[in-house]
Amino acid sequence: MSSLLSIGAELHQLRLQRLKPKWRTCDIGHSKTIEISEKAGVHIGSITWEGSLILLSYLQEHLIEEKTSRLNILELGAGVGYLGIGLLATFPQLTVTLTEKGSIENQLLQENLDCNSSL
């Protein structure tokens, strides 16, 4: 019985560790970095997906800076906000709206927006 309690206590500690935000500095190119908070293992929207990294890189290469002032970007299910924040850091003249419905993801998204508000 004590070994089961020990295993339960260990699993509980691991879960608590997952719930702690982990900050990472992301180099988004153009001599800019952003700070992103993630909670790995909590929900699928609480981490930065590789697809976000690839899409941001693609858009940075293919969006023409003169035309971005006329673009309105809507990101549905922004998760931690890497893509939208990265676009704003690269093209400050863009209008970007980020949405997220999950409460944990909303909290992370707001933390990340606040942390990168100087961009």
Side-chain angles (χ1 to χ4, degrees):
M1 183 69 159
S2 66
S3 65
L4 286 176
L5 290 175
S6 174
I7 292 170
E10 184 179 338
L11 290 173
H12 179 68
Q13 287 304 315
L14 289 172
R15 181 176 183 279
L16 290 177
Q17 285 299 326
R18 278 198 327 257
L19 294 178
K20 291 182 182 177
K22 291 180 175 52
W23 287 91
R24 71 184 216 176
T25 302
C26 302
D27 179 7
I28 60 165
H30 301 265
S31 302
K32 297 190 179 187
T33 59
I34 58 176
E35 298 290 324
I36 296 293
S37 175
E38 300 177 322
K39 289 185 181 177
V42 179
H43 291 284
I44 61 171
S46 63
I47 59 168
T48 302
W49 284 56
E50 293 297 319
S52 297
L53 307 174
I54 295 165
L55 183 54
L56 178 60
S57 178
Y58 176 85
L59 291 172
Q60 287 172 325
E61 287 181 35
H62 292 89
L63 282 179
I64 299 168
E65 201 156 332
E66 301 83 55
K67 293 184 178 181
T68 57
S69 63
R70 293 179 278 167
L71 290 178
N72 295 308
I73 307 287
L74 172 62
E75 185 177 5
L76 302 173
V80 295
Y82 175 85
L83 178 61
I85 294 169
L87 282 171
L88 282 173
T90 306
F91 305 105
Q93 66 277 19
L94 275 176
T95 300
V96 178
T97 303
L98 305 174
T99 66
E100 185 54 63
K101 78 173 196 173
S103 60
I104 290 173
E105 292 87 346
N106 259 329
Q107 178 186 357
L108 285 170
L109 180 57
Q110 189 60 56
E111 285 176 27
N112 292 331
L113 288 169
D114 291 345
C115 181
N116 294 286
S117 63
S118 63
L119 301 172

